[in-house]
C-alpha cells in the first residue's frame, strides 16, 4: 500500500512486486505494465536435520506464513505441526538456524534470488504443492496515465507469463480470494491452449477441492472465471 501511495503521489514512477503478494482489487489509477518472465513457481523444503517433509515426526515444527502450504503439506504428512512465522527469507532462515523450528517451506523463486539454493533439501512438484496464484512472477506497476513508462515496461513484458498470470488472478477473484486464502492456482500454456489447475481448501482445512480447466490462451480471463466458479460449486457450503 505504501509503495502504491508513492506511485500515486509521483514520488516514484514504477513499483516492483511479487505478484502472489499483490491484492486482487487493483487501484483504478494504477496498472501492471509488465509481467517479468516467470521464475521457478515451485515451493521448497529447507531443513538442517531432515531431507524431506515426510521424515518429520509429531514433535517437529515447520515454519510458514501460508495457510495454503500448511494444509497442502498435511496431505503429505499429517503429523507435522506448523508455526506461523513472518518476515523476509533471511529472518526465517535465521529462526531455522537458531533451532526455533525444524524446517521451513518457501517459494523457490525467492530462495534462488537470494542465492540460498544450497539450503534447499526438496523441491515440491506443482502436483504435490500447487503454487499460489502468481507465484514466481514479478509484476511491475505504474500509473495508468503514464504512457512513457507504460511504453518502457511493455518492452520487458513477457506475453506468455501475462496470460498465465491473468488466468490465475481471475480464478482468485472469482472465488473472492486474496493472498491469505488457502487456494492454489497454476496455469501452463500448451501451444495455443491454456491449462489452469486450482485447489481450494475449506476454512477449517478439513476439505479440499481440485479442478482444472482447458481453454484457448486468448481467453485467459474467462478460463480463470470458469475455474473459480467450478471450485465454489464443488465446495458448496464448505
Amino acid at each position: 500500500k505504501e509503495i502504491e501511495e508513492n506511485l500515486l503521489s509521483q514520488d516514484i514512477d514504477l513499483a516492483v512486486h511479487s505478484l502472489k503478494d499483490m491484492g486482487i482489487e487493483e487501484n483504478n489509477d494504477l496498472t501492471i505494465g509488465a509481467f517479468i518472465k516467470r521464475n521457478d513457481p515451485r515451493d521448497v523444503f529447507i531443513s538442517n536435520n531432515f531431507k524431506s517433509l515426510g521424515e518429520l515426526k509429531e514433535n517437529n515444527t515447520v515454519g510458514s506464513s501460508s495457510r495454503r502450504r500448511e494444509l497442502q503439506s498435511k496431505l503429505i504428512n499429517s503429523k507435522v505441526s506448523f508455526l506461523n512465522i513472518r518476515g523476509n527469507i533471511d529472518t526465517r532462515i535465521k529462526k531455522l538456524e537458531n533451532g526455533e523450528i525444524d524446517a521451513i517451506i518457501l517459494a523457490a523463486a525467492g530462495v534462488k534470488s537470494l542465492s540460498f539454493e544450497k539450503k534447499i533439501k526438496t523441491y515440491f512438484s506443482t502436483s504435490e504443492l500447487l503454487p499460489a496464484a502468481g507465484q514466481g512472477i514479478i509484476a511491475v506497476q505504474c500509473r495508468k496515465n503514464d504512457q512513457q513508462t507504460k511504453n518502457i515496461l511493455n518492452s520487458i513484458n513477457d506475453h506468455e507469463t501475462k496470460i498465465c498470470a491473468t488466468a490465475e488472478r481471475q480464478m482468485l477473484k472469482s472465488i473472492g480470494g486474496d493472498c491469505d486464502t488457502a487456494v492454489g492456482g497454476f496455469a501452463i500454456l500448451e501451444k495455443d491452449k491454456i491449462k489452469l489447475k486450482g485447489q481450494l481448501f475449506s476454512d477449517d482445512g478439513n476439505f479440499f477441492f481440485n479442478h482444472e480447466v482447458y481453454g484457448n490462451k486468448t481467453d485467459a480471463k474467462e478460463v480463470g472465471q470458469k475455474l473459480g466458479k467450478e471450485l465454489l460449486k464443488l465446495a458448496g457450503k464448505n
Side-chain angles (χ1 to χ4, degrees), residues 167-179:
E168 292 168 19
R169 282 173 66 78
Q170 196 60 47
M171 175 211 70
L172 210 54
K173 197 169 185 176
S174 294
I175 62 171
D178 57 28
C179 57

Side-chain angles (χ1 to χ4, degrees), residues 62-73:
V62 178
S64 175
S65 62
S66 165
R67 180 73 169 150
R68 169 191 64 84
R69 288 184 184 127
E70 177 185 345
L71 295 176
Q72 288 175 336
S73 297

Side-chain angles (χ1 to χ4, degrees), residues 17-101:
H17 303 278
S18 172
L19 183 62
K20 75 177 178 66
D21 297 326
M22 286 186 76
I24 291 300
E25 298 300 330
E26 294 175 37
N27 188 297
N28 289 331
D29 295 322
L30 302 177
T31 186
I32 296 175
F35 296 85
I36 308 303
K37 186 174 175 61
R38 188 172 221 154
N39 292 307
D40 194 328
R42 296 173 295 175
D43 288 303
V44 295
F45 176 85
I46 297 176
S47 175
N48 292 329
N49 303 310
F50 301 94
K51 291 180 180 176
S52 69
L53 183 66
E55 289 184 4
L56 297 176
K57 302 291 188 288
E58 287 179 3
N59 60 335
N60 297 131
T61 305
V62 178
S64 175
S65 62
S66 165
R67 180 73 169 150
R68 169 191 64 84
R69 288 184 184 127
E70 177 185 345
L71 295 176
Q72 288 175 336
S73 297
K74 286 185 175 180
L75 296 178
I76 298 171
N77 185 348
S78 59
K79 299 173 185 173
V80 180
S81 60
F82 274 73
L83 183 68
N84 191 337
I85 60 167
R86 297 194 175 272
N88 58 32
I89 290 174
D90 303 62
T91 302
R92 298 182 194 201
I93 288 178
K94 192 174 282 186
K95 287 180 185 287
L96 180 68
E97 304 292 352
N98 292 342
E100 296 175 44
I101 46 178

